[in-house]
Amino acid sequence: MGALTVAAGAMLAGADIVIVNMDGPGEGFNDPTAAAPVGGNAGTTVGQQRLIAFQHAASLWGAKLNSEATIRIQASFDPLSCTATGAVLGAAGAMSVFSNFPGTEFSNTWYPAALANKLAGEDLAPGPAGSSADDIIARFNTNLGTVGCLTGSGWYYGLDTNHPANRINLVSVLLHEFGHGL
């Protein structure tokens, strides 16, 4: 399941947020289904549009945050729970938590990885061979809009807020869910 890492964030952003693609060939971010550019998203496949939307949401958060530690979001599109009238759109949260580290504001208090790393000024859980470990896990529903999964709806991959009534704005959901991990 080779992970592809893509940096997201403006040059002047206060935090560098990296999207780590956990999808396999032909699925999620790697979905080759043709798509017309929409709402400022220039991607020409469903997978490209999904990744561009993720990068856009990461850039928005990165511009608002102040952290010297890179924030890594392990991301994928997977079949999540849904019915014809309701669905889990997505979920995100911290991959790990820390307490009583150098720089902590309150002792005996658990902090999600991204916040703990910011306060410590370093990656508290480095990966193998000195690489950074992922801080947040984010999964989003690949079946949205198919028969039996909020039938007739679907994701809107535009970077604006001009989504049609029968589409769910992915960027808005991403911003909300990334907040859980931060």
Side-chain angles (χ1 to χ4, degrees), residues 6-171:
V6 180
M11 296 278 280
L12 301 175
D16 183 31
I17 300 178
V18 174
I19 303 299
V20 181
N21 178 354
M22 298 303 293
D23 286 322
E27 67 177 6
F29 294 117
N30 306 314
D31 185 334
T33 304
V38 60
N41 188 328
T44 57
T45 68
V46 169
Q48 287 174 343
Q49 288 188 353
R50 288 172 173 164
L51 185 56
I52 290 168
F54 265 70
Q55 291 170 325
H56 181 70
S59 292
L60 292 172
W61 266 114
K64 297 290 184 191
L65 299 175
N66 181 17
S67 179
E68 293 183 25
T70 297
I71 300 166
R72 294 174 49 91
I73 301 176
Q74 188 180 98
S76 63
F77 274 83
D78 298 302
L80 301 178
S81 177
C82 56
T83 67
T85 58
V88 173
L89 301 176
M95 297 273 303
S96 56
V97 293
F98 298 92
S99 68
N100 301 324
F101 50 86
T104 187
E105 292 181 348
F106 303 101
S107 52
N108 301 318
T109 300
W110 292 104
Y111 291 85
L115 179 56
N117 291 343
K118 177 219 182 316
L119 294 172
E122 65 178 311
D123 190 343
L124 295 171
S131 66
S132 293
D134 298 336
D135 302 302
I136 297 169
I137 185 168
R139 296 176 56 220
F140 288 80
N141 201 333
T142 194
N143 289 336
L144 193 66
T146 62
V147 174
C149 186
L150 280 183
T151 307
S153 70
W155 290 115
Y156 174 71
Y157 299 120
L159 308 181
D160 56 18
T161 56
N162 295 323
H163 57 286
N166 67 335
R167 294 284 182 252
I168 297 168
N169 187 333
L170 178 60
V171 171

